[in-house]
Amino acid sequence: MSVKVLTIKEDLLGANQEKADKNHKLLDKHHNFMINIMSSPGAGKTSLIMQTIKRLKDKIRIAVIEGDIASTIDADKISKQDIPVIQINTAGACHLDANMIENAIDKLSLEQTDLVVIENVGNLVCPAEFAVGAHKNIMLLSVPEGDDKPHKYPLMFTEADVVLVNKIDVLPYFDFDVNAFSDAVSGLNPSARIFPVSAKTGEGLEVWFSWLEDALK
Amino acid sequence: MHEQSIVESLLALALENAERANAIRILKINLVVGEYSGVVEEAVDFYFSFLSRNTIAAEASIAYRHVPAQLRCRRCETIFTPEKNNLHCPECNEQQVDIIAGRELYIDSLEVE
């Protein structure tokens, strides 16, 4: 039997991208806006989401999709706010993909939702590779992680529309240079908006809330 | 770090293309992997070896072609390969750069019989 060479040139993430586009269209059809929040574990994604819910739930109908490798700890916290929460346990996978989000969106009543918030799995590498169909990618980087992260994880910073520098309340205790960090992010991604915040004390969050409200208009 | 889902897509794509060409066996998969794709070879091989069982790709080997990251300076347009953790342009020290290579992750070709 003779050996044949088949030229393929097909992207491995192509199928994921197609599904992400489908999710995006479905949300548009129902006038829903979806944000994909990504960061390392412990950077403050859940705290940011809780603050955002508290501040905006009277104006905007919010639903949350929680991605975790295991457990429902985050989902339990959020459902106490009387917000619809869909928990995705990825069973080991380090990121959410478009297929998981499609299944989660399916369980939401989109007619009763304005904003879908995805809390991605805590990880600075993989979530940036997998489009899910979000309208905006939000990235959180917390002060204790260090200001050199854009150089180490360039892809994540290239994909972000908004970069929140979280935990600025502990800036005095760390050698984190906010200007150096902002320059590094703008270097890779000049259109990214950078907001220094503290999800704990609430400092700086008003800028984030108004950005989000404007984005929804 | 996300090799399982990568390998699932890899296998699905390879099988689909091989079957369309009426192949009875896949011998080799030529894969192109960019430096920023975050894909680890050993992990791909590991997942491939058990996910491909009982398929016409069970005996296939994966050949990797690595693409180093390349950046282009937005000021002087120098194209350079960044040193580890330093994305500044080596000519003018600018850090306004575009990633022009290193994100690749695709099957270039299949060798089948």
Side-chain angles (χ1 to χ4, degrees):
Chain A
M1 193 111 195
S2 64
V3 175
K4 269 193 294 188
V5 177
L6 310 175
T7 305
I8 312 288
K9 309 264 183 217
E10 252 186 274
D11 201 290
L12 293 190
L13 297 171
N16 184 69
Q17 186 63 53
E18 276 173 29
K19 193 145 272 187
D21 294 342
K22 214 178 122 199
N23 290 345
H24 195 95
K25 280 195 193 117
L26 177 71
L27 292 162
D28 278 349
K29 196 178 136 201
H30 292 92
H31 308 290
N32 274 234
F33 191 80
M34 183 160 78
I35 59 174
N36 178 19
I37 304 187
M38 297 178 277
S39 80
S40 310
K45 292 182 296 298
T46 311
S47 305
L48 176 79
I49 293 171
M50 297 283 279
Q51 291 275 23
T52 306
I53 292 169
K54 271 184 205 157
R55 178 69 167 72
L56 298 178
K57 74 171 175 184
D58 295 334
K59 295 193 212 168
I60 298 168
R61 296 171 299 172
I62 304 173
V64 177
I65 300 173
E66 271 294 328
D68 281 296
I69 290 176
S71 94
T72 57
I73 296 168
D74 290 348
D76 294 345
K77 275 190 211 164
I78 287 164
S79 58
K80 283 189 187 136
Q81 302 283 323
D82 294 323
I83 293 284
V85 186
I86 308 294
Q87 173 78 53
I88 302 174
N89 279 137
T90 59
C94 46
H95 59 274
L96 296 176
D97 64 27
N99 192 45
M100 299 176 198
I101 295 301
E102 181 185 43
N103 294 332
I105 292 174
D106 196 45
K107 294 184 191 133
L108 291 172
S109 28
L110 293 181
E111 296 303 335
Q112 265 120 65
T113 311
D114 304 308
L115 173 67
V116 180
V117 178
I118 299 173
E119 178 170 353
N120 215 310
V121 179
N123 182 332
L124 273 192
V125 183
C126 314
E129 306 274 339
F130 289 83
V132 291
H135 293 83
K136 296 286 177 192
N137 286 323
I138 314 299
M139 207 239 134
L140 229 76
L141 190 283
S142 64
V143 167
E145 293 170 68
D147 55 29
D148 58 351
K149 292 301 168 287
H151 294 288
K152 291 188 175 174
Y153 305 95
L155 199 58
M156 178 61 80
F157 291 90
T158 311
E159 297 297 319
D161 298 293
V162 173
V163 177
L164 294 151
V165 185
N166 191 26
K167 308 191 188 178
I168 53 167
D169 50 310
V170 297
L171 268 177
Y173 308 103
F174 289 90
D175 297 325
F176 189 100
D177 183 335
V178 178
N179 291 330
F181 175 78
S182 305
D183 288 347
V185 173
S186 313
L188 286 164
N189 184 352
S191 58
R193 304 289 305 273
I194 303 166
F195 304 142
V197 302
S198 167
K200 189 179 174 187
T201 66
E203 191 182 349
L205 282 179
E206 283 306 320
V207 186
W208 156 247
F209 298 144
S210 13
W211 177 87
L212 188 56
E213 281 191 275
D214 285 346
L216 272 147
K217 275 174 197 160
Chain B
M1 283 171 84
H2 39 259
E3 283 73 9
Q4 189 189 333
S5 26
I6 295 294
V7 172
E8 284 166 1
S9 325
L10 168 72
L11 190 62
L13 258 184
L15 292 175
E16 187 189 312
N17 280 280
E19 278 158 17
R20 203 183 300 145
N22 295 319
I24 55 159
R25 216 186 329 267
I26 301 176
L27 305 172
K28 194 171 166 194
I29 300 173
N30 291 306
L31 191 65
V32 179
V33 178
E35 188 180 333
Y36 287 157
S37 68
V39 166
V40 179
E41 246 178 65
E42 289 77 6
V44 171
D45 287 339
F46 171 74
Y47 282 113
F48 188 78
S49 68
F50 73 81
L51 289 173
S52 65
R53 269 185 225 159
N54 304 319
T55 73
I56 60 166
E59 306 294 314
S61 62
I62 304 176
Y64 297 86
R65 182 156 69 79
H66 292 277
V67 182
Q70 277 199 324
L71 307 181
R72 184 174 47 222
C73 173
R74 273 190 227 129
R75 188 202 285 168
C76 71
E77 299 200 338
T78 298
I79 291 173
F80 63 100
T81 304
E83 283 171 42
K84 220 175 168 63
N85 303 340
N86 177 11
L87 307 183
H88 289 81
C89 171
E91 293 301 318
C92 69
N93 205 34
E94 174 62 54
Q95 60 174 343
Q96 300 274 333
V97 294
D98 291 313
I99 300 174
I100 58 167
R103 308 181 61 149
E104 299 76 3
L105 186 57
Y106 65 92
I107 301 182
D108 185 55
S109 61
L110 295 179
E111 291 172 33
V112 301
E113 57 174 26

